[in-house]
Amino acid sequence: MSHDDLSQHPQHPAFPDDPAFPDGFVTDPYRHIPPPDDLGDLDDRFVFDFRAYDDLEDGRRWSTWLSVEPLCRGPEPLPDWVVTSQGAIDTELGVLKTGKEADVHLVERADPRDSAAGVVMAAKRYRSPEHRTFHRSASYTEGRSMKRSRDERAIKRKSSFGRQVAAGEWAVSEWGALVRFWNLGLPVPYPVQIDGTEILMEWITVVDEDDAVQSAPRLAQTRPSPELLASYYEQLTDALATMVQNGLVHGDLSAYNILAAGERLVVIDLPQIVDLVGNLNGMTFLQRDCANICGWFRSRGLDVDEHALFAELMAHAF
């Protein structure tokens, strides 16, 4: 109904409950309404502080925290160092580690308007099909099911599409393992978020003699004292026991995918975890993990036996 038709609208007394339009009422949706002189009665929930940000340079992007689905974010409660600001910016700091299937980069996430809130994370990015050769054995995926049979057929044919699906599947697999292990209290990096084939996670660090922050070394690079060596072995056996109690096997555990963060160990590289029972090779993978770990600890002087460790883990599993 236009403003000109208002005279046709019935008013009192035929429709006593209908409100009368004021004389200055305008129906134009683009009309300008001048702000009131006094905003004291305005609800605080409708007040926000708008701050403009500068355009981003190369190597920087807006935080993707709010652009991913809630299930693609880390488990609650969030550590206090996780930056969730909508105005945060991700800045590339360089490559931390290269691998056959994925590269790990360092990314700083910080809000330029809040200098106190900022964190450096590890970004593991599985390579695109044209720049990677996937070496994971199909024996790791025994017992896994995919949502779409088309994707599964494409992976078996090793087509370009299948390799792209595989990259996403391995990223999702590692994300799921990180979340599950973290919820079980296992020593893994905190998983911040997953976006496509990129996983953002906690950067495990140590402080060197010059008080500089450095990436934690792999266990294979360390020469721990006998006391610390025994502590490391106990930490690993406890972690393996928790895994098998929940029907899981790392599948590729060695001193090269365990980080030594001071006096604690952190397990990394989890895309290939297998089901101890659902995977026909589950027991074989567990035996290999035990042999790899015990072999390294024996080389450092600790008297351990992989057969005894395997038997102990079997007692936890069944």
Side-chain angles (χ1 to χ4, degrees):
M1 181 182 296
S2 67
H3 186 272
D4 296 336
D5 295 333
L6 293 179
S7 59
Q8 307 294 328
H9 185 69
Q11 296 290 339
H12 303 288
F15 298 92
D17 295 332
D18 288 356
F21 289 99
D23 294 337
F25 182 80
V26 179
T27 59
D28 181 6
Y30 301 101
R31 68 187 184 278
H32 171 69
I33 303 177
D37 296 333
D38 184 11
L39 298 178
D41 296 333
L42 190 63
D43 194 324
D44 290 339
R45 292 175 298 178
F46 298 97
V47 179
F48 64 92
D49 181 19
F50 175 80
R51 293 176 293 178
Y53 288 77
D54 297 332
D55 293 334
L56 300 184
E57 306 141 356
D58 291 340
R60 309 180 80 194
R61 70 184 183 191
W62 295 109
S63 168
T64 54
W65 173 262
L66 292 177
S67 64
V68 300
E69 297 180 0
L71 290 178
C72 294
R73 302 173 194 152
E76 300 280 355
L78 299 178
D80 55 9
W81 53 263
V82 175
V83 176
T84 61
S85 169
Q86 189 171 3
I89 296 172
D90 294 346
T91 303
E92 295 285 337
L93 300 181
V95 178
L96 179 63
K97 173 182 174 290
T98 60
K100 295 178 180 178
E101 291 87 30
D103 297 328
V104 180
H105 300 247
L106 287 182
V107 174
E108 181 189 38
R109 175 168 290 177
D111 189 333
R113 304 293 184 180
D114 184 3
S115 58
V119 64
V120 177
M121 301 175 291
K124 186 170 185 178
R125 295 166 183 164
Y126 282 85
R127 297 187 181 182
S128 58
E130 63 272 16
H131 295 104
R132 65 195 295 276
T133 302
F134 207 83
H135 292 275
R136 299 291 182 186
S137 171
S139 58
Y140 287 114
T141 59
E142 180 74 33
R144 293 184 189 176
S145 60
M146 300 188 69
K147 293 182 179 179
R148 299 193 304 178
S149 59
R150 173 174 174 261
D151 294 346
E152 190 168 0
R153 291 194 302 270
I155 291 177
K156 290 180 178 179
R157 290 197 305 269
K158 298 182 180 180
S159 64
S160 297
F161 173 71
R163 292 165 61 185
Q164 185 174 5
V165 171
E169 284 296 318
W170 285 104
V172 169
S173 177
E174 177 153 28
W175 169 258
L178 283 168
V179 172
R180 187 170 183 182
F181 280 16
W182 178 267
N183 286 330
L184 289 173
L186 288 165
V188 296
Y190 176 77
V192 178
Q193 69 175 72
I194 180 173
D195 185 12
T197 58
E198 177 191 73
I199 300 175
L200 290 178
M201 65 185 79
E202 177 185 5
W203 178 34
I204 306 301
T205 62
V206 293
V207 179
D208 63 17
E209 298 176 352
D210 299 325
D211 291 332
V213 177
Q214 303 287 343
S215 295
R218 299 175 185 178
L219 181 60
Q221 299 172 310
T222 64
R223 297 292 185 273
S225 66
E227 295 77 13
L228 185 56
L229 187 69
S231 174
Y232 281 168
Y233 184 75
E234 183 178 356
Q235 291 179 48
L236 273 182
T237 54
D238 289 344
L240 288 171
T242 301
M243 291 181 198
V244 298
Q245 285 169 2
N246 291 273
L248 300 171
V249 179
H250 185 283
D252 193 28
L253 193 62
S254 73
Y256 290 93
N257 48 35
I258 299 171
L259 301 181
E263 296 184 352
R264 71 184 183 101
L265 296 182
V266 179
V267 179
I268 59 172
D269 193 16
L270 302 169
Q272 71 292 315
I273 67 164
V274 298
D275 189 299
L276 179 61
V277 178
N279 190 306
L280 296 177
N281 303 293
M283 296 291 183
T284 302
F285 284 127
L286 181 58
Q287 287 177 325
R288 191 176 68 180
D289 285 353
C290 293
N292 289 341
I293 290 303
C294 290
W296 184 86
F297 277 93
R298 276 199 306 270
S299 71
R300 295 297 186 269
L302 191 65
D303 184 16
V304 292
D305 180 73
E306 60 265 28
H307 301 292
L309 176 59
F310 180 77
E312 179 184 348
L313 294 177
M314 286 295 95
H316 285 284
F318 300 102

